[in-house]
Amino acid sequence: MKPIWTICLLVMSNVFMTLAWYGHLRFKDFEWSKGLGLFAIVLISWGIAFFEYMIQVPANRLGHQVMTVGQLKVLQEVVTLSVFVPFSVLYMKEKLSLDYLWAGLCLLGAVFFLFRTKLFGS
């Protein structure tokens, strides 16, 4: 059950992380953001990132009870790509390219190598 909770928490934290890191790139498109300086944008991003850390830290502590740090990192990257691709297409209005598929396949390889002993034994 811990891996499922870890994945759910990582997905939630990644939504906040993606918004904090990249959401501000569309702020300039919104009327309310006209005249905001870089410092204000940084503070807004930090405010969003606070919630990401409030979820991500417990996710990693919970996940580390059943996974290695390497497994957690690769899991995090898979979750990040799973959240980022819809974000970039739906929110940022960018085109989906085959590069995302290739990146995803590379991550699947990383998952295989780091989790193979848990999945298939020694």
Side-chain angles (χ1 to χ4, degrees):
M1 197 61 160
K2 288 178 185 174
I4 300 297
W5 276 109
T6 299
I7 292 168
C8 290
L9 290 170
L10 287 175
V11 168
M12 289 188 299
S13 77
N14 261 274
V15 169
F16 283 104
M17 179 198 72
T18 302
L19 285 172
W21 283 20
Y22 304 104
H24 63 86
L25 297 175
R26 288 236 9 237
F27 283 2
K28 64 185 177 300
D29 298 339
F30 303 117
E31 189 62 37
W32 61 265
S33 70
K34 304 289 191 234
L36 285 179
L38 183 59
F39 186 71
I41 298 299
V42 168
L43 289 178
I44 291 168
S45 291
W46 276 354
I48 296 168
F50 171 78
F51 294 103
E52 184 254 331
Y53 273 86
M54 292 296 292
I55 301 167
Q56 177 265 333
V57 170
N60 281 335
R61 291 181 69 85
L62 184 65
H64 193 248
Q65 294 174 16
V66 293
M67 290 178 247
T68 66
V69 173
Q71 290 170 333
L72 272 171
K73 181 59 182 168
V74 168
L75 177 61
Q76 171 67 32
E77 295 304 327
V78 170
V79 169
T80 297
L81 191 61
S82 300
V83 170
F84 182 77
V85 171
F87 172 84
S88 67
V89 171
L90 300 173
Y91 182 74
M92 296 301 294
K93 308 291 188 214
E94 294 189 356
K95 287 187 172 190
L96 188 61
S97 71
L98 282 176
D99 291 340
Y100 289 114
L101 173 65
W102 306 137
L105 290 174
C106 290
L107 283 174
L108 285 177
V111 168
F112 171 77
F113 286 112
L114 278 176
F115 285 90
R116 68 182 166 169
T117 57
K118 282 193 187 257
L119 297 172
F120 306 112
S122 306

